[in-house]
């Protein structure tokens, strides 16, 4: 994806945390992207949101800073970097709301051809993950870098 993205001001050594600042109509907002182990071996949850006062991730906040596409591109870049370092790891993610999951589905759909060159992408329908297709009604996403 060749969109403008924010540079991270902090990246953990293992690439599990990327912090950056959203700059927009509501000022500077500190954001965090984190890749966290799940119960399933080799599967990592992608968490994203504003950094709250305790240093955690608030994935329900609505910043409305006017930079949605730049933020989505920043998340995509972090996924690309994380999977370059750990190509055998799967990443699972969903929006904190139905609307956010739909936004992710639309962003992936708009860039699907390019993304499928580097990633295997699956969407969750009911209790199973199937290969993702444009406009697929999905509950969550599961992706992994293609190993060539």
């Amino acid at each position: 994806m060749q969109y403008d993205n924010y540079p991270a001001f902090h990246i953990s050594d293992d690439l599990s945390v990327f912090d950056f600042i959203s700059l927009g109509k509501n000022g500077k907002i500190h954001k965090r992207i984190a890749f966290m182990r799940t119960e399933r071996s080799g599967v990592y949850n992608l968490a994203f949101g504003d950094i709250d006062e305790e240093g955690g991730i608030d994935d329900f906040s609505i910043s409305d800073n006017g930079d949605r596409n730049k933020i989505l591109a920043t998340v995509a870049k972090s996924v690309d970097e994380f999977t370059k370092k750990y190509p055998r790891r799967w990443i699972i993610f969903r929006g904190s709301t139905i609307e956010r999951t739909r936004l992710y589905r639309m962003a992936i759909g708009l860039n699907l051809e390019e993304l499928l060159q580097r990633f295997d992408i699956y969407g969750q329908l009911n209790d199973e993950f199937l290969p993702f297709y444009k406009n697929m009604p999905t509950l969550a996403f599961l992706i992994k870098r293609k190993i060539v």
Side-chain angles (χ1 to χ4, degrees):
M1 292 173 51
Q2 299 301 319
Y3 298 103
D4 282 343
N5 57 71
Y6 287 112
F9 68 84
H10 168 77
I11 302 173
S12 64
D13 291 339
D14 65 355
L15 301 184
S16 65
V17 176
F18 292 77
D19 290 345
F20 66 97
I21 297 174
S22 162
L23 300 170
K25 64 183 182 182
N26 294 320
K28 294 181 178 182
I29 301 172
H30 288 78
K31 304 271 189 185
R32 176 168 290 154
I33 303 160
F35 298 93
M36 300 176 288
R37 290 179 189 259
T38 67
E39 296 172 353
R40 296 181 210 151
S41 178
V43 178
Y44 287 71
N45 181 64
L46 185 160
F48 163 72
D50 293 355
I51 300 175
D52 64 23
E53 292 180 11
E54 291 81 39
I57 297 174
D58 179 357
D59 60 356
F60 285 98
S61 64
I62 300 174
S63 303
D64 195 24
N65 217 12
D67 58 348
R68 178 192 67 199
N69 292 344
K70 194 168 184 177
I71 287 172
L72 290 173
T74 304
V75 173
K77 182 169 176 48
S78 73
V79 168
D80 191 54
E81 293 299 316
F82 186 80
T83 60
K84 276 182 193 172
K85 182 168 180 139
Y86 306 107
R88 299 200 185 290
R89 291 183 181 176
W90 289 90
I91 298 172
I92 190 168
F93 64 96
R94 73 183 73 214
S96 56
T97 65
I98 293 169
E99 295 80 13
R100 287 184 180 178
T101 301
R102 182 177 176 271
L103 172 65
Y104 301 157
R105 183 187 80 211
M106 291 175 9
I108 292 169
L110 284 172
N111 298 283
L112 189 59
E113 189 173 314
E114 179 186 349
L115 291 169
L116 286 175
Q117 292 175 21
R118 288 191 316 258
F119 299 98
D120 292 319
I121 305 172
Y122 295 86
Q124 183 183 4
L125 284 174
N126 300 315
D127 291 332
E128 64 180 328
F129 283 90
L130 302 171
F132 181 78
Y133 56 87
K134 199 170 187 174
N135 298 320
M136 178 181 188
T138 185
L139 302 171
F141 302 90
L142 186 66
I143 67 171
K144 182 176 174 287
R145 182 173 283 278
K146 289 183 177 182
I147 299 173
V148 286

